[in-house]
Amino acid sequence: MHSPTPDTTATAPASTIHLRSAGCSLLLEVRPGRLATVRHWGGDLGPLDRAAAEAACRAGRRVGQLSGELDAATVSLVPEAWTGWMGRLGLVGSRQGRGWSPAFATTAVTLDGTQVTGYAEAGPATVRVAAVDAENRLRLTLEIQLLDSGLVRMRGTLANDGDDFDLTELSLYLPVPAHATELLDFTGRWGMERLAQRQEFNIGTHLRENRRGRSGLDSAYLLHATEHGSDFAGGETWAVHVAWSGNHRHLAEHDSTGIRMLGGGELLLPGEVRLATGEEYRTPWIYASYGDGLDRVAHRFHDHLRARPGHVGPERPVTFNAWEAVYFDHDPEHLVELARLAAEVGVERFVLDDGWFGARRSSRAGLGDWTVSRDVWPDGLHPLVDAVRGHGMEFGLWVEPEMVNPDSDLARAHPEWIMAARTELPVEQRSQHVLNLSIPECYEAILEQLLALLDEYPISFLKWDHNRDHVEAGVQPLGGAPGEHEQTLALYRMLERIRAAHPALEIETCSAGGGRVDLGILEHTDRVWVSDVSDPLERQRLMRWTGQLLPPELLGSHIASMHSHTTSRRHDLSFRGATALFGHLGVEWDLSAATPEERSGLARWIALYRAHRGLLNTGRVWRGPDPAAELWSHGVVAQDRSEAIYAFTALAWSRPTAPPQARLRGLDPQRAYRVRPLTGGELLPGFSAPDWWDEDGIEFPATALMRIGLQVPVMHPEHTVLVHLTLV
């Protein structure tokens, strides 16, 4: 059989568009009868006229290996079978087995709303490509943006003009060059989120699917294709991220002809999206970042987030969270005393965690009943709130609105609001189930309770938790039809309504720690809880790799007690403080059990953070080069490069070699800096400090700091030294 030919009666003329921003280029080509093809995504090509742009497109075209074979390199943003592409398809669906191989022809291309014919070049801009499959009565609109940060983001909208169309998948792809020979993404579990993993970019499909109803503790997070041997400092790197808080997939495709692509989209469950006549489906945003080295890939995400409307300011309030101090043991007098002690050490926000509502004396009951427990709080939360605010602190509260315990008034009254695929309920996790927020009555009942709390109490902060995976997330009473897509949209709507009613409210996304960290949820929240593990040794890795997507001011980072309740390790305050410093600082510690000396030391760390948070929460993050495998180096440099703070961390015993040098990145090579130790770090007995160690500081040319580096002091394992640089 011959390949189907698309209807071309309204085909748009050939056009080429070159977008440039922040050192990046995106070169799009539309050929008659085809969808848009990306001919280049990566480093800036410089200004191009029409002839140069068309020549650049031709440079990437290939003839097939067989006589008469289609241009094998013409793989569109949504790969199609009719073109001869034999890899994964971008659009998968059918009408009861028919119309399963659509063939789209572009009908219009616009650049920032203006029709494009021929050639156009622009800075940051939005391209919209409209395409039609007349035979199958489908319309596809692709939206491709090059942002000020150099990020690319894209999404697709499929509209159905025919009989019911069952959509299985709509994923979007971008090409990467042949010298992108390695893949880097992440995995993990509770307490060990964002474990980096590398592998060869081999022929076939690298597929990371997530069916957990949230980003996932084992999230791929960012899928990178990179040159061999790349690191934070160098090596061309391309990365994609799916900005969706529900089921999703990340993909790397390498076919037998050598084509390499990165892509992703929402993962739809069977029958979850059935488009009736006139209905449409829109994908989540797919973000893509290019850079020379992992740091520059991360910088584009950081710049984008910092430029968004309503982004948090640099004066991030020091936050005390009561979970590890009291757990479920809510004694109002004790909590009032903790508020006093927190204020004494410099805390600016006090958050009451789980256990304040309903029958919630343990994890086994109460979820869904969002009213203050009169058994524990006979006068409501007012005595604690008044004490907190009386000490000049903001008040915050923990909630988990998407979940329900079977032992709750809500579950007993409305068991049909629990998500289930069969008559029997799904397996329980943490003694709880998932509430179906797509049911209007359920949605309004939960929202009403939350708004009532926010109206009664002056709450400045919500810690919004989500402690279990979605297992068999079906809709009752509709026979258990899958409901993940609508559940995610309902969550977003609820967050939007709460923020509309309380615009100053700050919301943290928490999900058994770092189980829901993505740019979809970050459109509605202001902070992520990186992990339930505050052990600073684990946090060194967690903060380092969570920072591949998010800037420091969005990373909840707390100083916990000496004895970690999750790992059972013990660490000095200097290591705990120096680790937590490079995020949104907080405290997770029963201060009434701490000694006066410990509280005094904690106060000094909080004061240090408050003195430097303007730098720490706005500066450019630089990671590495690590002086040794067991010695990590990272820093934050002011945007104008006038100031910097670097950390040198001993993760383990140093190897028996001369102490290595830490080269400092991100400085102004034309200037000089005064370097002085900031605080922290216990030097080994018998070892003298390096020659540069001077409390008053020593001036160095930036080139020496960047190329020679500073000799790292010999430290005990699991300790950190901080240095502060100021421009001379």
Side-chain angles (χ1 to χ4, degrees), residues 77-191:
L77 291 157
V78 181
E80 302 168 281
W82 79 269
T83 66
W85 170 246
M86 302 304 294
R88 283 184 64 95
L89 301 176
L91 173 59
V92 181
S94 73
R95 294 185 174 91
Q96 296 184 335
R98 297 179 180 272
W100 57 270
S101 181
F104 287 101
T106 296
T107 57
V109 181
T110 62
L111 176 65
D112 285 341
T114 301
Q115 192 85 14
V116 175
T117 56
Y119 177 65
E121 182 171 278
T126 298
V127 177
R128 285 186 173 86
V129 178
V132 172
D133 179 347
E135 180 178 341
N136 285 310
R137 305 193 67 186
L138 294 171
R139 288 178 287 116
L140 181 64
T141 302
L142 301 176
E143 187 174 354
I144 309 103
Q145 297 180 343
L146 185 62
L147 305 175
D148 290 333
S149 61
L151 281 181
V152 175
R153 71 174 183 176
M154 55 186 183
R155 64 184 176 185
T157 302
L158 181 71
N160 177 34
D161 295 326
D163 297 335
D164 288 0
F165 186 85
D166 289 315
L167 180 63
T168 301
E169 179 179 352
L170 180 52
S171 295
L172 278 68
Y173 293 79
L174 285 171
V176 296
H179 59 277
T181 59
E182 292 184 348
L183 296 176
L184 167 67
D185 63 2
F186 299 88
T187 184
R189 60 169 175 79
W190 179 80

Side-chain angles (χ1 to χ4, degrees), residues 1 9 75 108 111 180 247 347 359 469 500 546 556 563 655:
M1 296 179 61
T9 56
V75 182
L111 176 65
N247 294 348
V347 167
D469 293 327
T546 307
H563 178 250
R655 301 184 182 211

Side-chain angles (χ1 to χ4, degrees), residues 396-454:
L397 197 63
W398 178 95
V399 292
E400 194 174 2
E402 300 152 81
M403 300 294 162
V404 64
N405 288 122
D407 185 3
S408 66
D409 294 341
L410 183 73
R412 284 184 284 270
H414 294 286
E416 75 278 9
W417 290 356
I418 297 174
M419 299 195 84
R422 298 174 293 111
T423 303
E424 182 181 352
L425 290 179
V427 61
E428 286 186 13
Q429 292 179 355
R430 207 170 181 259
S431 303
Q432 64 192 59
H433 289 289
V434 182
L435 278 176
N436 191 343
L437 298 182
S438 70
I439 298 174
E441 296 80 5
C442 176
Y443 176 96
E444 292 297 336
I446 296 299
L447 180 61
E448 181 180 346
Q449 292 183 79
L450 296 176
L451 291 177
L453 284 165
L454 292 167

Side-chain angles (χ1 to χ4, degrees), residues 578-589:
T579 300
L581 193 70
F582 292 90
H584 180 191
L585 187 78
V587 179
E588 199 100 6
W589 188 356

